[in-house]
Amino acid sequence: RGDVEDATQWPWDVAKLTAALMSGIGLMVAVFPEPVLRCFLTNPEAIATAILPLRFTGLTVAGDAVSLTMQNALLGVGDARRVAAISIGTQWVLFLPLAYVGVTQLGWNLNWLWGLYVAQRMLQAVMFARLWDQGKWKGIKLA
C-alpha cells in the first residue's frame, strides 16, 4: 500500500496486543506453575525442579511476544540479514558460551541456565525493537 507511517506503527500495535494477552497467561502460569507442570510431568522431583524456570517464563513471556512480533515484522520487510545477525549472535556467541562456562566452570543449575536463556530472549526483544525504531528497513526494496 506504500503507507510507511502505517507500516511503522502496525508491529507496535500487534506487539501491544500480544504482550497484553501473553501477560495474562504468563501471570497465571507464574502464580500457578504446578497444575500446568502436572499436565506434562508425573515425577514430583521433576515438577519441583521445573517450577522456578516456568515462573521465569511466565513473567517474561510478554517480552518474548514483543520479540517475536518485531522479529517477524523485520523479516516481513526484508531485513533478514540483521535479524539473522542478532539471532545467531545472541544464541551462538553469547548464550551458548556463557551457558557452557556456567555449567562446566561455575556449577550453574537449571535455574541459572533458564534465567540466562530468558535474559537472552529479552535482549533480543530490545534489539529487534531498536532495529525497527531505527527505520533502516524503510530503505529496503523487495523484488
Side-chain angles (χ1 to χ4, degrees):
R1 295 184 331 206
D3 188 347
V4 176
E5 286 184 38
D6 184 45
T8 301
Q9 185 58 41
W10 178 84
W12 285 115
D13 293 343
V14 173
K16 288 178 210 172
L17 178 63
T18 58
L21 292 171
M22 294 308 291
S23 289
I25 295 167
L27 184 60
M28 289 174 47
V29 168
V31 173
F32 304 108
E34 288 184 51
V36 174
L37 290 168
R38 284 194 187 110
C39 292
F40 304 99
L41 302 171
T42 57
N43 182 307
E45 289 180 32
I47 291 170
T49 301
I51 287 174
L52 191 54
L54 185 57
R55 283 188 169 142
F56 285 159
T57 300
L59 294 173
T60 60
V61 72
D64 207 29
V66 172
S67 178
L68 289 170
T69 301
M70 302 316 280
Q71 177 185 20
N72 284 291
L74 288 160
L75 290 172
V77 297
D79 205 352
R81 182 176 294 153
R82 294 190 312 156
V83 169
I86 288 173
S87 295
I88 292 167
T90 58
Q91 181 173 336
W92 291 93
V93 177
L94 183 65
F95 172 72
L96 289 173
L98 285 174
Y100 176 79
V101 170
V103 170
T104 63
Q105 305 300 314
L106 303 174
W108 286 359
N109 62 15
L110 175 64
N111 294 333
W112 279 99
L113 285 178
W114 203 257
L116 181 62
Y117 171 72
V118 166
Q120 177 242 343
R121 296 294 295 169
M122 296 305 96
L123 176 62
Q124 281 186 341
V126 169
M127 294 175 81
F128 290 139
R130 285 203 62 206
L131 286 184
W132 187 262
D133 278 346
Q134 288 171 350
K136 291 182 182 177
W137 57 269
K138 295 175 187 176
I140 297 172
K141 301 294 182 213
L142 299 175

